[in-house]
Amino acid sequence: MKTNIKIIGTVFSLLAFQCCVIEAATNAAAFTPSNPPGMQPLANHNSPAWRAARMFQHGANLGNYLETPPGQNWGITVSADEFAAMKREGFDHVRVPVGWHHYAGAAPDFTLAPEIFSRVDFVVTNALANQLAVMINIHHFDELDKDPAKATAEFLAIWRQIAAHYKDFPDQLVFELDNEPHGKATTALMNPIHARAIAEIRQSNPHRTIVVEPGGWGGIGELKNLILPPDDNVMVSVHCYDPFYFTHQGASWAGPDTKATGIQFPGPPAKPLVPDASLDLKPWVVDWIKKYNTLPADKNPSSPLAFTDKLKFVRAWSDYYGYPVHLGEFGSYTKADPTSRANFYAAFRRAAEAQKIGWCIWDWSAGFRYWDKSNQRPLPGMHAALFGGLN
Ligand code: BGC
């Protein structure tokens, strides 16, 4: 909403500020801090990081595009006018997964090939030209997840080069250190490595917003293990794909537990789902499906119950520790039926907005897509799901 009447704006801001303070106090009162003592709360909630977070409210991930290894094509092309379409749809930012490590030369310099810079530049400059804020990251850096200590030198060298390349870009460009640390890259192990990467980036980008994900695939449950440097331009990002058996149904990369398809959102379904016996589902999946088939809407596992409390925790954690938190990925694979997908995206983004958490859908035009390239329109129901109004 835009208004030119300054006084209304000021009164509104004061009221909004008071509401935030009251709400923050309420959340913080119910919250029990449990991070290690090294994690010191930051008091200023109007720091550069909090101001940056306001630019990252409604985003889309440009998935399956720049994170692919050289020579591989995962079926995604992106044209310059798609950034205008993103902006028109209502998005304010784009998160860009990038597989920089695939383009790194040998140790000790790990020199990045110019090709990857020119591909990322194309995305970054077109996004910025369309008033979209941009978050670039290192995505699928498997070596870091397998052996963080061994891959640290390369991780730091990659960030040194990215930081130097983009040092004069506007503040609307932010750096996310690494996507979904997992495996050996536990939060505890990554805390000091992330701190070193932040220090490295700060050499050339003293004012750039830097985004850190906890371990456990950017898990909300891992926030409690974070230790961040007291840098007032650091944002945290988490991912949430709950309810997982709904969002990842039929996703071959997500393992055997997601083989059952036909799961709707919200449950229960009008006609119970009877998965094919040949799927040989594990007892916990069978149990989940039983609950999905039988429990009423307010207790059903395929419902906002799967994420509402988690998002409340994110908000309370963020208020207490003083670092803004962004929800960098949520979404549902296109194997789910279109109505359920739209219901899910609508419910999730409402729950995120209720907690004042900026969100970023997975993804723009790939397997969890919003945008239908074949007719240059959003998939049915998706615009209304994310931005309200008619589709
Ligand atoms: C991965 C994608 C995957 C998505 C949902 C992302 O973090 O990079 O490859 O499709 O999560 O599982």
Side-chain angles (χ1 to χ4, degrees):
M1 187 182 71
K2 280 186 186 157
T3 173
N4 286 328
I5 310 170
K6 254 189 173 171
I7 191 150
I8 295 184
T10 310
V11 171
F12 181 78
S13 307
L14 279 173
L15 284 175
F17 177 72
Q18 277 180 0
C19 291
C20 283
V21 170
I22 291 164
E23 201 173 326
T26 317
N27 273 330
F31 175 76
T32 311
S34 58
N35 282 58
M39 177 69 173
Q40 290 297 312
L42 297 182
N44 182 2
H45 287 210
N46 193 29
S47 62
W50 286 91
R51 291 199 294 275
R54 289 182 210 140
M55 302 188 294
F56 289 85
Q57 292 297 302
H58 306 150
N61 274 282
L62 206 53
N64 292 12
Y65 184 48
L66 295 180
E67 71 268 44
T68 57
Q72 281 188 30
N73 179 342
W74 294 356
I76 300 299
T77 54
V78 176
S79 61
D81 54 13
E82 279 180 52
F83 298 96
M86 275 185 202
K87 183 70 184 179
R88 254 194 334 270
E89 287 298 310
F91 294 103
D92 62 9
H93 73 278
V94 54
R95 179 171 175 265
V96 189
V98 187
W100 298 96
H101 50 289
H102 298 307
Y103 294 83
D109 294 338
F110 301 101
T111 305
L112 293 167
E115 180 194 347
I116 189 63
F117 279 114
S118 63
R119 296 187 70 201
V120 178
D121 285 353
F122 166 80
V123 169
V124 171
T125 52
N126 277 290
L128 292 174
N130 284 282
Q131 286 82 49
L132 292 162
V134 194
M135 187 181 293
I136 56 174
N137 73 4
I138 304 183
H139 208 85
H140 289 161
F141 189 8
D142 297 341
E143 291 78 7
L144 192 63
D145 299 310
K146 282 189 202 130
D147 192 343
K150 192 167 164 215
T152 297
E154 182 173 358
F155 182 57
L156 299 178
I158 291 175
W159 273 117
R160 193 177 309 130
Q161 295 170 75
I162 303 171
H165 184 85
Y166 291 109
K167 70 181 172 35
D168 296 323
F169 272 60
D171 296 346
Q172 285 78 3
L173 173 67
V174 307
F175 298 158
E176 181 183 69
L177 298 181
D178 60 326
N179 175 66
E180 299 187 342
H182 61 274
K184 297 252 167 65
T186 59
T187 314
L189 225 137
M190 291 308 293
N191 282 332
I193 299 175
H194 284 156
R196 286 178 68 188
I198 293 169
E200 185 68 60
I201 293 168
R202 285 282 171 259
Q203 305 273 327
S204 55
N205 290 248
H207 304 301
R208 179 83 47 207
T209 303
I210 298 173
V211 184
V212 178
E213 287 188 37
W217 306 86
I220 292 173
E222 282 294 315
L223 284 174
K224 66 177 186 311
N225 294 320
L226 274 177
I227 301 175
L228 295 167
D231 182 318
D232 69 358
N233 208 354
V234 165
M235 224 160 51
V236 172
S237 189
V238 290
H239 295 179
C240 180
Y241 280 104
D242 294 320
F244 197 71
Y245 299 150
F246 166 74
T247 64
H248 276 67
Q249 57 186 294
S252 54
W253 67 94
D257 286 1
T258 54
K259 277 196 224 149
T261 53
I263 299 167
Q264 299 172 3
F265 188 97
K271 188 166 161 271
L273 176 72
V274 184
D276 196 314
S278 69
L279 295 181
D280 198 19
L281 296 173
K282 294 282 184 262
W284 52 89
V285 184
V286 172
D287 184 53
W288 188 93
I289 292 173
K290 188 174 157 206
K291 290 186 173 125
Y292 159 71
N293 280 333
T294 55
L295 290 179
D298 64 340
K299 297 197 170 56
N300 201 280
S302 187
S303 79
L305 260 191
F307 44 77
T308 305
D309 282 353
K310 292 188 175 183
L311 296 177
K312 283 186 185 159
F313 174 83
V314 169
R315 178 65 202 273
W317 185 92
S318 171
D319 284 342
Y320 182 86
Y321 283 105
Y323 290 81
V325 182
H326 176 253
L327 189 92
E329 289 186 20
F330 77 99
S332 146
Y333 191 29
T334 39
K335 288 271 161 91
D337 72 88
T339 306
S340 292
R341 285 189 78 227
N343 290 341
F344 166 77
Y345 279 93
F348 201 112
R349 73 99 182 151
R350 276 196 220 106
E353 286 174 8
Q355 298 308 321
K356 299 189 173 63
I357 300 169
W359 49 258
C360 190
I361 57 163
W362 190 273
D363 59 62
W364 172 243
S365 66
F368 288 47
R369 65 187 156 278
Y370 173 90
W371 190 244
D372 184 351
K373 275 178 187 289
S374 65
N375 62 10
Q376 295 293 299
R377 288 174 57 79
L379 263 72
M382 289 296 282
H383 180 88
L386 295 183
F387 302 106
L390 295 176
N391 199 25

